[in-house]
Short mmCIF file of all heavy atoms in Angstrom, two decimals:
data_model
loop_
_atom_site.label_atom_id
_atom_site.label_comp_id
_atom_site.label_asym_id
_atom_site.label_seq_id
_atom_site.Cartn_x
_atom_site.Cartn_y
_atom_site.Cartn_z
N GLU U 53 0.44 1.43 -2.49
CA GLU U 53 -0.06 0.07 -2.50
C GLU U 53 -0.13 -0.50 -3.96
O GLU U 53 0.19 -1.65 -4.19
CB GLU U 53 -1.40 -0.02 -1.82
CG GLU U 53 -1.95 -1.46 -1.76
CD GLU U 53 -3.11 -1.65 -0.75
OE1 GLU U 53 -2.92 -1.21 0.38
OE2 GLU U 53 -4.15 -2.23 -1.12
N VAL U 57 1.67 -3.82 -5.22
CA VAL U 57 0.95 -4.99 -5.69
C VAL U 57 1.41 -5.37 -7.08
O VAL U 57 1.60 -6.57 -7.39
CB VAL U 57 -0.59 -4.72 -5.62
CG1 VAL U 57 -1.40 -5.75 -6.37
CG2 VAL U 57 -1.03 -4.60 -4.15
N GLY U 68 -1.21 -14.55 -2.86
CA GLY U 68 -2.28 -13.60 -2.73
C GLY U 68 -1.82 -12.37 -1.94
O GLY U 68 -0.64 -12.16 -1.71
N PHE U 69 -2.81 -11.54 -1.59
CA PHE U 69 -2.45 -10.30 -0.83
C PHE U 69 -3.38 -10.04 0.37
O PHE U 69 -4.55 -10.41 0.30
CB PHE U 69 -2.63 -9.08 -1.82
CG PHE U 69 -1.43 -8.90 -2.72
CD1 PHE U 69 -1.46 -9.49 -3.97
CD2 PHE U 69 -0.32 -8.16 -2.34
CE1 PHE U 69 -0.35 -9.40 -4.83
CE2 PHE U 69 0.78 -8.05 -3.21
CZ PHE U 69 0.73 -8.64 -4.43
N LEU U 70 -2.82 -9.44 1.37
CA LEU U 70 -3.64 -8.85 2.41
C LEU U 70 -2.97 -7.47 2.66
O LEU U 70 -1.89 -7.39 3.23
CB LEU U 70 -3.54 -9.68 3.73
CG LEU U 70 -4.26 -9.08 4.92
CD1 LEU U 70 -5.73 -8.90 4.70
CD2 LEU U 70 -3.99 -9.93 6.17
N ALA U 71 -3.57 -6.46 2.08
CA ALA U 71 -2.96 -5.11 2.10
C ALA U 71 -3.91 -4.12 2.76
O ALA U 71 -5.14 -4.21 2.62
CB ALA U 71 -2.60 -4.68 0.68
N GLU U 73 -4.85 -1.04 2.25
CA GLU U 73 -5.87 -0.24 1.55
C GLU U 73 -6.76 -1.10 0.65
O GLU U 73 -7.39 -0.57 -0.25
CB GLU U 73 -5.14 0.89 0.77
CG GLU U 73 -4.17 1.74 1.58
CD GLU U 73 -4.77 2.25 2.92
OE1 GLU U 73 -6.03 2.34 3.07
OE2 GLU U 73 -4.00 2.49 3.85
N GLY U 74 -6.83 -2.39 1.00
CA GLY U 74 -7.94 -3.17 0.45
C GLY U 74 -7.60 -4.23 -0.57
O GLY U 74 -8.43 -5.08 -0.92
N THR U 75 -6.35 -4.29 -1.04
CA THR U 75 -6.03 -5.29 -2.08
C THR U 75 -6.09 -6.67 -1.42
O THR U 75 -5.43 -6.90 -0.40
CB THR U 75 -4.60 -5.07 -2.64
OG1 THR U 75 -4.53 -3.76 -3.08
CG2 THR U 75 -4.34 -6.02 -3.76
N GLY U 76 -6.84 -7.56 -2.09
CA GLY U 76 -6.71 -8.99 -1.72
C GLY U 76 -7.53 -9.43 -0.50
O GLY U 76 -7.24 -10.51 -0.01
N SER U 77 -8.53 -8.66 -0.08
CA SER U 77 -9.23 -9.11 1.09
C SER U 77 -9.97 -10.45 0.86
O SER U 77 -10.32 -11.13 1.77
CB SER U 77 -10.24 -8.07 1.55
OG SER U 77 -10.74 -7.35 0.46
N GLY U 78 -10.20 -10.84 -0.41
CA GLY U 78 -10.80 -12.07 -0.71
C GLY U 78 -9.87 -13.27 -0.93
O GLY U 78 -10.28 -14.30 -1.38
N ASP U 79 -8.58 -13.03 -0.64
CA ASP U 79 -7.60 -14.06 -0.98
C ASP U 79 -7.26 -14.99 0.22
O ASP U 79 -6.23 -15.61 0.26
CB ASP U 79 -6.25 -13.41 -1.40
CG ASP U 79 -6.41 -12.79 -2.78
OD1 ASP U 79 -7.41 -13.06 -3.47
OD2 ASP U 79 -5.50 -12.03 -3.17
N GLY U 80 -8.14 -15.13 1.17
CA GLY U 80 -7.91 -15.83 2.41
C GLY U 80 -7.55 -17.34 2.19
O GLY U 80 -6.94 -17.92 3.02
N HIS U 81 -7.95 -17.93 1.08
CA HIS U 81 -7.81 -19.33 0.85
C HIS U 81 -6.38 -19.70 0.40
O HIS U 81 -6.00 -20.85 0.48
CB HIS U 81 -8.79 -19.81 -0.17
CG HIS U 81 -8.70 -19.11 -1.49
ND1 HIS U 81 -9.19 -17.82 -1.63
CD2 HIS U 81 -8.13 -19.45 -2.64
CE1 HIS U 81 -8.92 -17.44 -2.85
NE2 HIS U 81 -8.29 -18.38 -3.49
N VAL U 82 -5.61 -18.77 -0.16
CA VAL U 82 -4.31 -19.12 -0.72
C VAL U 82 -3.28 -19.38 0.41
O VAL U 82 -3.40 -18.76 1.47
CB VAL U 82 -3.75 -18.05 -1.69
CG1 VAL U 82 -4.63 -17.93 -2.91
CG2 VAL U 82 -3.53 -16.75 -1.01
N ARG U 85 0.66 -15.44 1.09
CA ARG U 85 0.14 -14.05 0.86
C ARG U 85 1.18 -13.02 1.19
O ARG U 85 1.93 -13.20 2.14
CB ARG U 85 -1.11 -13.80 1.80
CG ARG U 85 -2.35 -14.48 1.37
CD ARG U 85 -3.42 -14.27 2.38
NE ARG U 85 -3.04 -14.84 3.69
CZ ARG U 85 -3.53 -14.47 4.86
NH1 ARG U 85 -4.46 -13.58 4.94
NH2 ARG U 85 -3.13 -15.08 6.01
N TRP U 86 1.19 -11.96 0.38
CA TRP U 86 1.95 -10.78 0.79
C TRP U 86 1.10 -9.93 1.72
O TRP U 86 -0.02 -9.55 1.34
CB TRP U 86 2.29 -9.94 -0.46
CG TRP U 86 3.21 -10.60 -1.46
CD1 TRP U 86 2.87 -11.09 -2.68
CD2 TRP U 86 4.60 -10.80 -1.37
NE1 TRP U 86 3.94 -11.57 -3.33
CE2 TRP U 86 5.07 -11.44 -2.54
CE3 TRP U 86 5.60 -10.49 -0.34
CZ2 TRP U 86 6.42 -11.74 -2.77
CZ3 TRP U 86 6.92 -10.80 -0.62
CH2 TRP U 86 7.33 -11.46 -1.77
#
Side-chain angles (χ1 to χ4, degrees):
E53 181 164 312
V57 168
F69 280 91
L70 175 63
E73 307 313 335
T75 307
S77 34
D79 288 348
H81 57 284
V82 295
R85 283 174 300 158
W86 294 107

